[in-house]
């Protein structure tokens, strides 16, 4: 497991890391992950390759940090919905459909971004696993509140959160979303969410 740089350290270091990630994301989006190397990123920033390596050990580390940044956007959306004054069911709907739209808009509309995400998933990076764990915690908290309010039947909220995630993975996993998009023999996203929520109520 790689240890990514601590971007919460001193402000100057954080600024440099952000600049590197911004440049890398721009180039990955334009040329694709496979066709971009560390030298290209350094050239875009007007700095030496050796300077890039002061902050990241490899292109893989840069890619991991970018994936973490993209996933953080989804996690923050989940947190915001988690605290909204709505029923537990409505919050699950809002998050799952929001994640689906985010996947379609940011990961599928731009093929180069989709390539970045697919590579990350195929390599089973710990940033992906960490994101899944964090999302399961948030959905588990929502489900626990739904149980306490009588919306959902008594059950283990952690197991329920894992099952809910498995039932709706077609709406969140970029490769699955890409495969199911526009297919006439696939359930609509809204129907999948309603099916999963009904399961929590029985």
């Amino acid at each position: 497991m790689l240890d990514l740089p601590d971007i919460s350290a001193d402000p100057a270091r954080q600024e440099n890391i952000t600049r590197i990630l911004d440049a890398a994301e721009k180039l990955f989006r334009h040329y694709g992950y496979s066709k971009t190397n560390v030298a290209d990123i350094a050239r875009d920033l007007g700095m030496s390759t050796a300077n890039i390596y002061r902050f990241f050990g490899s292109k893989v580390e840069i890619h991991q940090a970018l994936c973490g940044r993209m996933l953080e956007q989804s996690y923050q959306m989940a947190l915001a919905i988690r605290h909204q004054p709505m029923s537990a069911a409505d919050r699950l709907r809002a998050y799952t459909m929001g994640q689906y739209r985010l996947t379609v808009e940011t990961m599928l509309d731009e093929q180069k971004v989709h390539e970045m995400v697919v590579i990350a998933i195929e390599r089973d990076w710990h940033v992906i696993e960490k994101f899944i764990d964090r999302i399961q915690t948030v959905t588990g908290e929502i489900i626990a509140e739904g149980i306490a309010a009588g919306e959902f039947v008594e059950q283990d909220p952690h197991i329920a959160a894992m099952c809910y995630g498995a039932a709706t993975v077609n709406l969140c996993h970029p490769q699955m979303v890409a495969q199911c998009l526009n297919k006439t023999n696939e359930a609509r996203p809204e129907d999948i969410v309603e099916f999963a929520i009904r399961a929590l109520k029985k």
Side-chain angles (χ1 to χ4, degrees):
M1 182 181 295
L2 293 173
D3 291 322
L4 296 179
D6 180 8
I7 63 172
S8 64
D10 64 273
R13 181 176 178 79
Q14 182 174 348
E15 182 181 353
N16 278 313
I17 288 173
T18 300
R19 286 182 62 224
I20 292 169
L21 292 179
D22 288 345
E25 183 173 2
K26 179 182 71 175
L27 294 174
F28 289 166
R29 285 177 182 272
H30 185 72
Y31 298 108
Y33 174 75
S34 302
K35 295 181 179 179
T36 303
N37 56 42
V38 175
D40 296 325
I41 298 168
R43 191 178 307 113
D44 186 77
L45 289 168
M47 63 173 64
S48 68
T49 302
N51 199 32
I52 299 287
Y53 286 125
R54 287 178 52 217
F55 302 95
F56 294 95
S58 64
K59 186 176 86 166
V60 170
E61 283 192 15
I62 294 173
H63 187 189
Q64 282 189 323
L66 272 178
C67 284
R69 194 163 75 165
M70 291 172 65
L71 293 172
E72 183 66 19
Q73 180 183 0
S74 176
Y75 177 66
Q76 290 302 323
M77 176 181 69
L79 277 185
I81 292 171
R82 156 81 177 81
H83 296 292
Q84 287 185 6
M86 302 188 297
S87 69
D90 283 343
R91 281 179 284 164
L92 289 177
R93 287 188 189 96
Y95 167 69
T96 312
M97 292 305 299
Q99 177 61 43
Y100 175 73
R101 287 189 294 270
L102 188 64
T103 302
V104 171
E105 292 166 6
T106 66
M107 297 180 186
L108 299 187
D109 282 357
E110 300 182 52
Q111 189 60 38
K112 301 296 192 305
V113 178
H114 185 223
E115 178 196 8
M116 287 168 53
V117 176
V118 167
I119 290 172
I121 292 171
E122 288 177 345
R123 291 178 178 175
D124 199 24
W125 283 347
H126 69 277
V127 291
I128 304 289
E129 292 301 312
K130 179 181 177 182
F131 169 73
I132 293 172
D133 289 343
R134 295 169 85 195
I135 289 298
Q136 285 180 350
T137 296
V138 173
T139 54
E141 290 170 351
I142 294 173
I143 290 170
E145 292 180 3
I147 294 170
E151 278 188 73
F152 304 142
V153 296
E154 190 65 37
Q155 57 195 299
D156 184 320
H158 177 64
I159 294 175
M162 290 192 291
C163 292
Y164 182 84
T168 58
V169 68
N170 278 15
L171 308 181
C172 306
H173 192 296
Q175 288 168 294
M176 292 184 179
V177 171
Q179 290 170 6
C180 297
L181 206 61
N182 299 323
K183 283 190 175 181
T184 56
N185 62 344
E186 295 287 342
R188 296 186 311 155
E190 297 85 353
D191 294 333
I192 293 173
V193 173
E194 291 308 312
F195 183 86
I197 289 175
R198 281 198 301 274
L200 294 170
K201 296 180 177 181
K202 295 181 179 180

